[in-house]
Short mmCIF file of all heavy atoms in Angstrom, two decimals:
data_model
loop_
_atom_site.label_atom_id
_atom_site.label_comp_id
_atom_site.label_asym_id
_atom_site.label_seq_id
_atom_site.Cartn_x
_atom_site.Cartn_y
_atom_site.Cartn_z
N ASN A 208 96.35 83.81 125.50
CA ASN A 208 95.70 84.46 126.63
C ASN A 208 94.46 85.20 126.20
O ASN A 208 93.43 85.19 126.87
CB ASN A 208 96.67 85.43 127.32
CG ASN A 208 97.79 84.68 128.05
OD1 ASN A 208 97.62 83.51 128.33
ND2 ASN A 208 98.88 85.36 128.31
N PHE A 262 85.89 93.43 123.41
CA PHE A 262 86.59 92.45 122.58
C PHE A 262 86.10 92.50 121.13
O PHE A 262 86.88 92.52 120.18
CB PHE A 262 86.38 91.06 123.16
CG PHE A 262 86.92 89.95 122.31
CD1 PHE A 262 88.28 89.65 122.33
CD2 PHE A 262 86.09 89.23 121.47
CE1 PHE A 262 88.79 88.64 121.54
CE2 PHE A 262 86.59 88.23 120.68
CZ PHE A 262 87.94 87.92 120.72
N ASP A 359 145.40 89.56 71.97
CA ASP A 359 145.94 90.18 73.19
C ASP A 359 146.38 91.62 73.02
O ASP A 359 146.76 92.27 73.98
CB ASP A 359 147.12 89.33 73.68
CG ASP A 359 147.63 89.76 75.04
OD1 ASP A 359 146.81 89.83 75.98
OD2 ASP A 359 148.84 90.03 75.16
N GLY A 395 143.67 115.09 63.69
CA GLY A 395 143.09 114.40 62.53
C GLY A 395 143.66 113.03 62.32
O GLY A 395 143.17 112.26 61.48
N TYR A 539 124.67 98.21 71.50
CA TYR A 539 125.22 99.40 72.16
C TYR A 539 126.43 99.99 71.46
O TYR A 539 127.33 99.28 71.01
CB TYR A 539 125.62 99.07 73.60
CG TYR A 539 124.49 98.55 74.46
CD1 TYR A 539 124.58 97.29 75.06
CD2 TYR A 539 123.33 99.30 74.66
CE1 TYR A 539 123.55 96.81 75.86
CE2 TYR A 539 122.30 98.82 75.45
CZ TYR A 539 122.41 97.58 76.04
OH TYR A 539 121.39 97.10 76.83
N ARG A 553 126.46 105.58 76.83
CA ARG A 553 126.15 104.43 75.97
C ARG A 553 124.88 104.74 75.18
O ARG A 553 123.88 105.21 75.73
CB ARG A 553 125.93 103.17 76.80
CG ARG A 553 125.60 101.96 75.94
CD ARG A 553 125.74 100.66 76.70
NE ARG A 553 124.72 100.50 77.71
CZ ARG A 553 124.69 99.46 78.55
NH1 ARG A 553 125.64 98.55 78.51
NH2 ARG A 553 123.74 99.35 79.44
N ILE A 630 114.28 91.28 88.01
CA ILE A 630 114.01 92.06 89.21
C ILE A 630 115.01 91.59 90.27
O ILE A 630 114.95 90.46 90.74
CB ILE A 630 112.57 91.87 89.69
CG1 ILE A 630 111.60 92.40 88.64
CG2 ILE A 630 112.36 92.56 91.04
CD1 ILE A 630 110.15 92.15 88.96
#
Side-chain angles (χ1 to χ4, degrees):
N208 290 340
F262 174 79
D359 188 54
Y539 302 121
R553 180 165 70 184
I630 296 175

